[in-house]
Amino acid sequence: MTVQYPKIPAQYSKNEKKVFQPVSYKELYEIALNFGGGLLNMGVVRGDHIGLISDNRMEWEQADMGLLAIGAIDVPRGCDATENDLRFILATAECKLVIAENPRQIERIVGLKSNLPDLNKMICFESYSDELKEKAAGLGVTLYTFQQIVTEGAAWRENNAGVVEAELDKGQENDLATLIFTSGTTGEPKGVMLTHGNFIAQLPDLQNRIYVHPGERIICVLPVWHAFQRACEYVILSQGGALCYSKPIGSILLKDLEALNPHIMPAVPRVYEALYDGINKAMRKTGGIVYNLFRFFTAVALLQCRMSRRMFRKTARFKNDHIILTWIVFFIPWLLLTPLKALGSKLVFSKVRAKLGTNFRAGVSGGGALPPAIDEFFWAAGVNVVEGYGLTETSPVVAVRPVDAPIFGTVGKPLDGVEVRIIGESGEVLPNGKKGVVQVRGPIVMQGYYNKPELTKKAIDEDGWFDTGDIGMKTVTGEVVIRGRMKDTIVLRGGENIEPLPIEMKMSESRFIQQSIVVGQDERFLTALIVPAEDEIKIWARENYVEYDTYENLLKKPEIIKFYKTEVQTLISTKTGFKPFEIINDFTLLAKPFEVGRELSPKQEMMRYKIFELYEKEIKAMYSDK
């Protein structure tokens, strides 16, 4: 892109006056090579692991491109990482050099120096105080600013012409590009080893499905250390698009959408849900005839779109249908509703689309399942939101709906060169329309887990099939549909990865809780199913004069609900070491303990996917009115 479009913007970022300023492709290329030169001048060599602790900003991409150009390997994490995460990740990866976003991150990491014996240099994207520099020096860490390294790198390149470019040419597809450590609160995080080839393999087909024309703007609101956002940025840059840095905060995002008028917006489902909630809240607040018209035209559009998707085969199909019969049934009502939908589009939904800008082509949803109700609403409103699927271990995109030909209820067909199969309980390959475990094979699959050969062998079989641990199925036309997760890891709509076991173990510390299971996959927050310790809660009820007739009715008493709410809030809080998104927002008390053969395996382990099926009604109730 630098050669083809040197002058068009590659990045837009706000200056001190909060005004977006562009960085051209030529400027981005030069900054990256200068930074690479600066790293070589510091003694960095091919294969070194470089910590990259920062949220998404223009310097992240510049630094990433610079260190990858010389064959270094980034070890990324966001600013919300805990000190335990930072300690483990940077020590395990043996990072001698760490790049950090701001003085706060520098101070945190320098404070861990006793646990990071290899660390001796740090680079900060922002300026820092002399006091912080002296403190770091006292602990054996030399500080630099990003701009300092870029400037020194430019001078170094003048005296070492072609060296950085030669390193760039040495790169091979099988060279390691990054170590992304997955969430690991149940134990040690796993370092996913992704190569340059893993990322490159996605680009050709993604450029067709999520296409961008040179100079078009893409708004970035996600943490770039997540493989989803990172892959999106590579896809955009490979097509000459411009990365525009914003925040997933309503007031900021809406202003930036207006200022940038972007063409594409990659985001987690929670961002689209927030937009949906904001639209509905605004309509309810307006009230009167406007709100009634909104509700009426929404209902009309939803119904017309459901018919349209069936008639034109734009919805998931798990068996062959009779298209002629479908048209006979739906044609007349669809024909009658179409003018009403067009009227609603002009009177109501045009205002919704205007919030996203006149250029808006599509939103790309990833990092969790897009709720069907949100998906349907935006489809009805004429806002194209396509959903994708993948994992860090698949670098990350396995499939995504094409912008121009989305199939509702699916995440699209696997990318070119990627194979997906569905496996049954006995290991057999299931036909289309049957639900089982999703396995993936192809050039997108990771090299393995860093320094964990046995774990790698368990995840990837001898034939190269990676077991995702997700439950899914394929349509008759080959699209992938995800139905849940076999894995314990919970992914919220905001993209947060949560391991439930530490939360459950903490709750078990209460003498009033016999068993518990945390739920919340693809939801906004966590809830829990709790089995009380029957004898203990009966004693508490008697001591607190709570009258009841049956044990089941006792658990419904307001006094008991309030008691357990206090118990859970005391155990699971930021004061006890949990993150805000790990807090339990609601719970349901179950009168019957989990049993072997039903909820528990012969080893007394919780079979989570079975529990989710058995208690589907109770789980849905905890989210239905939230």
Side-chain angles (χ1 to χ4, degrees), residues 172-343:
Q172 301 295 316
E173 287 193 3
N174 288 332
D175 290 347
L176 199 61
T178 187
L179 278 177
I180 301 178
F181 281 80
T182 62
S183 177
T185 50
T186 56
E188 294 182 351
K190 302 186 292 291
V192 177
M193 299 189 294
L194 299 179
T195 67
H196 291 265
N198 288 148
F199 287 115
I200 291 170
Q202 304 172 91
L203 298 182
D205 199 12
L206 282 176
Q207 289 173 351
N208 293 324
R209 301 192 192 196
I210 314 296
Y211 62 88
V212 175
H213 301 299
E216 291 186 340
R217 293 176 293 278
I218 288 72
I219 196 161
C220 301
V221 297
L222 301 178
V224 72
W225 75 267
H226 280 286
F228 169 52
Q229 176 64 29
R230 182 169 180 167
C232 287
E233 297 196 11
Y234 291 160
V235 172
I236 301 313
L237 291 175
S238 71
Q239 299 179 81
L243 304 174
C244 308
Y245 300 98
S246 182
K247 299 285 185 182
I249 301 169
S251 57
I252 296 175
L253 179 56
L254 287 174
K255 288 181 181 178
D256 290 349
L257 285 168
E258 183 178 355
L260 293 164
N261 197 10
H263 299 77
I264 302 286
M265 182 174 71
V268 293
R270 185 68 189 96
V271 172
Y272 297 107
E273 186 177 12
L275 290 172
Y276 171 82
D277 290 342
I279 292 166
N280 279 276
K281 184 178 180 180
M283 290 295 103
R284 287 194 299 271
K285 186 176 181 180
T286 302
I289 190 170
V290 173
Y291 181 48
N292 288 330
L293 284 173
F294 172 76
R295 292 180 60 189
F296 171 75
F297 283 119
T298 298
V300 167
L302 289 172
L303 184 57
Q304 194 271 355
C305 284
R306 287 168 190 164
M307 293 179 181
S308 183
R309 289 194 296 266
R310 288 285 301 276
M311 294 167 64
F312 295 97
R313 289 186 165 172
K314 292 184 178 181
T315 194
R317 294 184 297 125
F318 301 106
K319 59 183 179 180
N320 291 317
D321 57 359
H322 301 286
I323 191 66
I324 295 177
L325 181 60
T326 301
W327 271 76
I328 291 173
V329 173
F330 290 131
F331 180 69
I332 298 300
W334 172 80
L335 195 62
L336 294 173
L337 289 173
T338 297
L340 282 175
K341 179 180 179 293
L343 181 61

